[in-house]
Amino acid sequence: MEQKPMRLVFGEILCELAEEFPEMVVLDADVSNSTQTKRFEEKFKDRFFNFGIAEANMVSAAAGMATCGLIPVVSTFAFLIVLRAGDPVRSLIAYNSLNVKLAGGYAGLSDFADGASHQSVTDLAIMRAMPNMTVLVPSDIDTTRGAVRAMLKHRGPVYLRLSREPVGSYHGGDESFEIGKAKILKDGKDVTLAVSGTLLPQVLEAAEELEKAGIRPAVLEFPTLKPFDSETLIYYAQKTGAIVTVEEHTILGGFGGAVSESLSEICPVPVKRIGINDCFGESATSYSELLNKYFLTKGYICQAAIGLIKRKK
Amino acid sequence: MFPIEEIKRAAQEARITVINMIYKAGSGHIGGSLSCAEIITVLYECFLNVKPEEPLWPERDRFILSKGHAAPMLYAILSRKGFFEQSQLDTLRKLNSNLQGHPCMFKLPGIDMSTGSLGMGVSVGVGMALAAKLTKRNFRVFVLCGDGELQEGQNWEAFMSAAKWKLDNLIVIIDKNGVQLDGKVEEVMPLGDLEAKLKAFGIYVLNCDGHNVEALINSIQEAINYKGPAAVIANTVKGKGVSFMEGQSLWHGKPINKEEYEQAIMELSKCF
């Protein structure tokens, strides 16, 4: 399968959409080589603004631009957009529901070598809590391209979570992306594996393993974390009676949180949240080392699913 | 443009309106509202190209009240200009009102950016000024900051970027009243040589008496004429016009009782 760093997919699709969205401008904070917005700068110099290492200023300026009819795509590392610029994100962009797109790169553990300071395992919990904010979490090449196009068409603030890791294409090149809709990747009846983001391949592999063991899991993908597709979730909660959530984020307040909140009100079934267990990451020599360390693996997902099915009975 | 005497009178009337609003609301920031009466009046009477009947006119000049707690003064002047009915002034800080404790752009016509959390106004102004350039529009962007507010480091990020992009359509006015919530700016966190700092960041700096209408007009005009980002340091008095409030940090955000209210109105009315 073709593999491409998600940041590269992001940089490329921005360039492709530049003509379709002439109001789009791209802002970055001295990491345009890392986030790959450099590609946009090379082709559309007038529409690119490098704010230097000053994220709060960049996000606030984007708010000003949006009031003048531009569509700013603000790009830097996820933790900087969400936390360093958290006040302008809240006070200017979310509160006024401005048409600014916040692209948080290097999210999750994907900046494996730089360690905890550069990793982002709390961004979804924070962005989900912001009124007016739409939160998109693509998993692969197809959903990344679809998400960028969808966020530019959508009017209002959007947080787009991006990884630096290579991703494949798990949707057969289908870039359709409807904000607020889950994707049903596999129908099943014994347990639901629900995933948001780049751990999708681990979940698909786990589903295959489970099938070999005679278990029929449903696989749901939630490329939109907010607005949340509770309808699809609850349908599968009723059908399968147990849900495993998988995300590259703290299990507190992110995807697992969203699933648990939705279910507990309408259809409480056993849930196992797989994610970062309320801790920070660390440096490693490869991304996969970190996924192993934090139990974000096929084997652990299978084990969790089997455990849940037992609880169900 | 009104004659100078008319502008002076309008500013003083706005002060009385502010005291009335805050008295009725039971809370609000009097000191920092009174200090910027002449600044905001001069901006709206002499410089801002706006259409109260079409508040979202794309070519309009933008005004950002970065020191959002001075909202009552802005409301007083916007209603006077006809952006909304004067009767709404009585609803300040009340439930379901368009006049929020701090300016809200999606509730009240004439507000170009919601503010309140300090230190972001200059950045927003940078974004608007860049947008004007990119879309080839001729509007100007005026930002009013407090001096205490400049303690927020983001301002300096914003000044750096204004200089980088040579934003000659951005004019920052600093209401330098020298007092913040916890005391004198010089004691809470000194700004040092503000003029030298701004200059070092690439900003053209003018100084004037922020209660002198003629001086304000001249300085703001010079800032507009300058081919680059410019700031006017307007020296003012917090609580200006009410003897027991002047220069007192206590009056940054204290509610006003009946006796104080009557005294304040009397003192402000005496000037006519």
Side-chain angles (χ1 to χ4, degrees), chain A residues 9 49 60 63 103 113 136 154-155 195 204 215 230 237 240 253 279 312:
Chain A
V9 180
F49 300 90
S60 308
L136 305 183
H154 174 81
R155 197 167 174 81
V195 59
L204 290 172
I215 294 166
S230 296
T240 65
C279 65
K312 210 169 73 163

Side-chain angles (χ1 to χ4, degrees), chain B residues 130-186:
Chain B
L130 281 171
K133 300 264 178 206
L134 193 66
T135 57
K136 301 192 167 44
R137 290 201 156 116
N138 289 320
F139 64 78
R140 294 193 178 92
V141 186
F142 296 85
V143 182
L144 178 59
C145 301
D147 53 346
E149 185 186 5
L150 295 179
Q151 289 160 352
E152 286 284 3
Q154 189 185 327
N155 289 291
W156 303 97
E157 299 178 5
F159 286 127
M160 260 191 288
S161 59
K164 168 180 172 175
W165 284 299
K166 303 182 176 63
L167 297 175
D168 57 0
N169 52 352
L170 176 70
I171 297 103
V172 178
I173 299 158
I174 296 159
D175 176 11
K176 188 167 180 276
N177 62 35
V179 178
Q180 58 191 111
L181 185 51
D182 271 0
K184 291 191 170 117
V185 172
E186 285 307 301

Side-chain angles (χ1 to χ4, degrees), chain B:
Chain B
M1 183 175 130
F2 285 129
I4 300 293
E5 285 310 314
E6 280 289 313
I7 296 169
K8 289 180 184 169
R9 190 184 176 86
Q12 191 70 356
E13 281 173 0
R15 285 195 169 95
I16 292 172
T17 305
V18 162
I19 297 285
N20 277 318
M21 289 168 77
I22 293 177
Y23 179 61
K24 283 179 191 156
S27 74
H29 298 81
I30 295 181
S33 291
L34 296 187
S35 68
C36 60
E38 283 82 9
I39 299 169
I40 301 185
T41 306
V42 161
L43 281 174
Y44 276 89
E45 295 302 344
C46 308
F47 294 104
L48 287 170
N49 185 21
V50 291
K51 293 183 179 176
E53 70 286 359
E54 194 188 344
L56 295 176
W57 178 44
E59 304 292 337
R60 74 191 184 280
D61 285 339
R62 268 59 169 185
F63 176 63
I64 302 154
L65 182 67
S66 192
K67 47 173 281 181
H69 54 274
M73 181 53 72
L74 178 59
Y75 297 159
I77 291 163
L78 286 178
S79 72
R80 181 193 156 84
K81 293 294 290 180
F83 279 92
F84 56 88
E85 290 293 318
Q86 301 227 341
S87 59
Q88 284 197 46
L89 294 173
D90 289 344
T91 68
L92 175 71
R93 291 181 168 235
K94 293 186 176 147
L95 194 62
N96 300 322
S97 170
N98 297 329
L99 277 65
Q100 293 291 296
H102 292 78
C104 177
M105 66 184 287
F106 56 88
K107 286 187 184 280
L108 194 67
I111 305 295
D112 288 321
M113 181 54 72
S114 306
T115 51
S117 181
L118 295 172
M120 300 176 196
V122 183
S123 301
V124 171
V126 165
M128 290 176 177
L130 281 171
K133 300 264 178 206
L134 193 66
T135 57
K136 301 192 167 44
R137 290 201 156 116
N138 289 320
F139 64 78
R140 294 193 178 92
V141 186
F142 296 85
V143 182
L144 178 59
C145 301
D147 53 346
E149 185 186 5
L150 295 179
Q151 289 160 352
E152 286 284 3
Q154 189 185 327
N155 289 291
W156 303 97
E157 299 178 5
F159 286 127
M160 260 191 288
S161 59
K164 168 180 172 175
W165 284 299
K166 303 182 176 63
L167 297 175
D168 57 0
N169 52 352
L170 176 70
I171 297 103
V172 178
I173 299 158
I174 296 159
D175 176 11
K176 188 167 180 276
N177 62 35
V179 178
Q180 58 191 111
L181 185 51
D182 271 0
K184 291 191 170 117
V185 172
E186 285 307 301
E187 286 165 7
V188 176
M189 184 49 70
L191 287 173
D193 187 340
L194 178 58
E195 183 172 346
K197 279 186 170 135
L198 287 164
K199 281 182 177 165
F201 276 79
I203 308 298
Y204 181 65
V205 185
L206 294 136
N207 280 280
C208 73
D209 174 348
H211 299 306
N212 182 324
V213 169
E214 293 95 328
L216 275 169
I217 293 172
N218 291 337
S219 297
I220 295 170
Q221 188 60 57
E222 196 182 332
I224 288 171
N225 293 345
Y226 181 72
K227 296 285 169 224
V232 175
I233 300 175
N235 293 287
T236 60
V237 176
K238 193 138 177 162
K240 173 72 176 178
V242 180
S243 59
F244 59 93
M245 293 181 180
E246 287 195 355
Q248 302 295 314
S249 62
L250 180 72
W251 283 99
H252 177 85
K254 190 170 103 80
I256 181 168
N257 70 28
K258 189 163 186 291
E259 205 181 3
E260 293 160 340
Y261 165 72
E262 283 165 0
Q263 172 82 18
I265 295 290
M266 194 192 73
E267 288 187 22
L268 289 169
S269 305
K270 258 200 283 188
C271 305
F272 294 116

